[in-house]
Amino acid sequence: MGGSGREVGGGEAHAAPVAGEAQSASGAGEAQSVPPGVEAYDVPVAGEAQSASGAGEAQSVPPGVEVYDVPVAGEAQSASGAGKADSVPPAAEARAAWVGVEAQAVPGSAEAEAEAGPVVGEAYDALGGAGAHSAPRARGAGLVVGYVGSRPPTYAAEPTALPVAEPDGLDVAVPDTVLDGAAYGACTLRAVSIRGDSARYRGESRRDALLTARFGAGDEALVLVAMATGARATPGAHRAAGEVCQWIAEAVGRSHARLAEDIRAARRGDLKSGLHRLTDRSLGRLRAGAAEQGVEPEQYTATLRCLLLPADPDCRVRVFFGVGAGGLFRLREGEWQDIEPGVAETPGHPVVGFGSPPSETPDGDRLTVDLGITTPPNPYDPAPEPPREPFRFRASVAQPGDTLLMCTAGLADPLRGEPELCAHLSRRWSDPAPPGLAAFLADAQVRVKGYADDRTAAAVWEA
């Protein structure tokens, strides 16, 4: 035969014949011909039986058959010397698990689904129990979008409706998913931005934006990952998120040489003050844009989260900075650590007691009682600006085997609220070898009921 058979579930799975070769599968050694021009992995269309018995006739595979088609669950394929049929159980759908020129039929059960063949060198792990559950998928899909928790999410797992496009605004059209990756120095980067299940169903644009960039060359290079989330229920949310990512990248790019030097020298104070200024300028441009459009500042704004990774293999300092909701996590020795920088609870000068004013002035004068009467605002004073989100900064030293995860609220919230998601991603990402892009995408979109927002994540594996 052109390939060997592999025994699965009590039956045999036979390799598909190479084009133009004869396949002998009968007890009497009769050959089965395949017409020239047929692909090497062609198999019979679902519903047809393939005869390979001792007295059987040779049945050719018709041209034009899809290369990975397999029989529909419950139909029989005759592949034995005695002419008996190995049926594919109707409880599960079989997929071709192709390796070289072999095709293997995998039996299923009421709860299990057949494992998919390799996709871009990676196989998605859809384990039951504490792992991700299988979910209904599109026919022919190579990767199963799983979920964790006791019940499946309400929305479909795949995109449904496209956002409305404007003929004059196609330059700001946002794709459903963005995927990127790189490897510099001692770290490997994976980054993804995915439209949420709710936006996919309603035909809304992805409000999350993702930008990855490298400034400089060699060991002096600096890698930036920037992600932003536009305000909810505002028409220009995706534009605001994209603009603030572009502006912070421009600012970092102009100062990348100084920033890389400060990171290598561990000048934490200089880094924090400098990055704070760059962030304020970028968000200030959003506020100016809101004024030009005649909308309130909170209607044209975005959160911003950034990660700086030096390309120098001898420098393991990783710098996070940003404004707004999201998460910063570290996976170390199989355990997740929430390392999101905190915000000071009591800013300003020290006071006597928690939150209470001093009882007297520095000169010894007793203070009068505050009756709580509000002073009316001066009509000539400018209107006060809405309170701004505090700036967050963290510079940490990575250890070999660590996995650092920066993400928007769409992934941070389920990570903090669903222990099964933490356990699942811990199993998937604890391997020192980073996943490929396809596997990382599948991991990042494991769903949790009740969480349907956009997800943007950047993970860094330390060698």
Side-chain angles (χ1 to χ4, degrees):
M1 293 178 61
S4 61
R6 185 176 303 175
E7 197 170 306
V8 179
E12 292 183 2
H14 295 276
V18 178
E21 294 186 358
Q23 179 182 9
S24 173
S26 68
E30 294 188 7
Q32 179 177 0
S33 63
V34 179
V38 177
E39 293 293 335
Y41 305 111
D42 283 354
V43 293
V45 176
E48 296 187 357
Q50 180 178 1
S51 171
S53 63
E57 314 153 349
Q59 179 178 356
S60 62
V61 181
V65 176
E66 290 293 334
V67 294
Y68 303 125
D69 282 350
V70 295
V72 174
E75 298 191 356
Q77 179 180 3
S78 173
S80 67
K84 66 179 181 179
D86 299 329
S87 63
V88 180
E93 186 177 2
R95 282 175 282 177
W98 47 274
V99 182
V101 296
E102 294 188 358
Q104 179 179 358
V106 182
S109 64
E111 283 89 27
E113 181 171 330
E115 287 292 324
V119 179
V120 198
E122 300 290 337
Y124 180 68
D125 181 18
L127 300 176
H133 301 281
S134 300
R137 60 184 175 85
R139 178 176 175 82
L143 293 176
V144 178
V145 180
Y147 69 93
V148 294
S150 58
R151 292 182 297 166
T154 302
Y155 297 103
E158 301 292 344
T160 303
L162 290 171
V164 175
E166 296 294 338
D168 298 328
L170 296 178
D171 56 330
V172 294
V174 180
D176 179 89
T177 302
V178 175
L179 185 63
D180 206 352
Y184 286 97
C187 65
T188 299
L189 170 68
R190 297 287 181 260
V192 67
S193 185
I194 310 166
R195 189 163 56 132
D197 290 345
S198 176
R200 285 175 166 180
Y201 176 77
R202 302 175 189 279
E204 298 172 350
S205 294
R206 174 168 49 87
R207 294 185 295 117
D208 278 10
L210 172 67
L211 185 148
T212 54
R214 171 179 61 89
F215 302 105
D219 291 349
E220 307 297 319
L222 186 64
V223 176
L224 166 72
V225 182
M227 56 184 66
T229 302
R232 190 184 299 275
T234 56
H238 61 290
R239 292 196 302 272
E243 286 177 351
V244 75
C245 284
Q246 180 179 345
W247 291 334
I248 194 66
E250 291 173 354
V252 168
R254 296 187 187 101
S255 306
H256 77 273
R258 173 65 184 273
L259 288 170
E261 180 183 347
D262 288 344
I263 292 175
R264 287 192 297 269
R267 300 188 186 109
R268 187 180 184 279
D270 292 346
L271 283 169
K272 184 176 182 180
S273 60
L275 293 172
H276 195 173
R277 286 194 299 272
L278 298 183
T279 302
D280 277 351
R281 290 172 187 168
S282 300
L283 294 175
R285 293 178 68 176
L286 275 185
R287 290 189 289 271
E292 291 176 0
Q293 300 175 38
V295 300
E296 296 297 325
E298 59 268 21
Q299 293 181 337
Y300 196 74
T301 187
T303 66
L304 177 64
R305 307 179 71 78
C306 301
L307 195 62
L308 293 177
L309 307 171
D312 187 348
D314 296 327
C315 180
R316 288 189 177 270
V317 177
R318 310 297 179 233
V319 176
F320 160 81
F321 67 96
V323 171
L328 184 67
F329 304 91
R330 179 170 57 208
L331 181 61
R332 177 173 289 176
E333 297 179 354
E335 296 292 334
W336 283 107
Q337 303 170 358
D338 191 338
I339 58 174
E340 176 78 4
V343 179
E345 297 288 341
T346 55
H349 298 290
V351 295
V352 178
F354 184 79
S356 61
S359 58
E360 59 184 26
T361 66
D363 297 331
D365 296 332
R366 304 289 295 180
L367 297 178
T368 58
V369 177
D370 184 4
L371 300 179
I373 300 175
T374 304
T375 304
N378 187 336
Y380 299 102
D381 290 341
E385 291 186 359
R388 299 181 185 179
E389 291 278 355
F391 177 74
R392 299 176 186 268
F393 174 90
R394 184 183 184 96
S396 57
V397 179
Q399 296 181 7
D402 283 355
T403 301
L404 182 66
L405 174 65
M406 178 182 71
C407 55
T408 57
L411 182 58
D413 290 347
L415 272 173
R416 294 185 176 117
E418 179 52 68
E420 286 192 32
L421 181 60
C422 291
H424 177 72
L425 293 182
S426 176
R427 287 191 301 272
R428 294 286 298 167
W429 293 349
S430 290
D431 193 324
L437 290 179
F440 180 73
L441 170 62
D443 292 337
Q445 61 182 347
V446 170
R447 304 187 303 150
V448 182
K449 187 174 179 62
Y451 300 94
D453 283 341
D454 299 347
R455 289 184 180 182
T456 302
V460 179
W461 275 261
E462 300 290 343

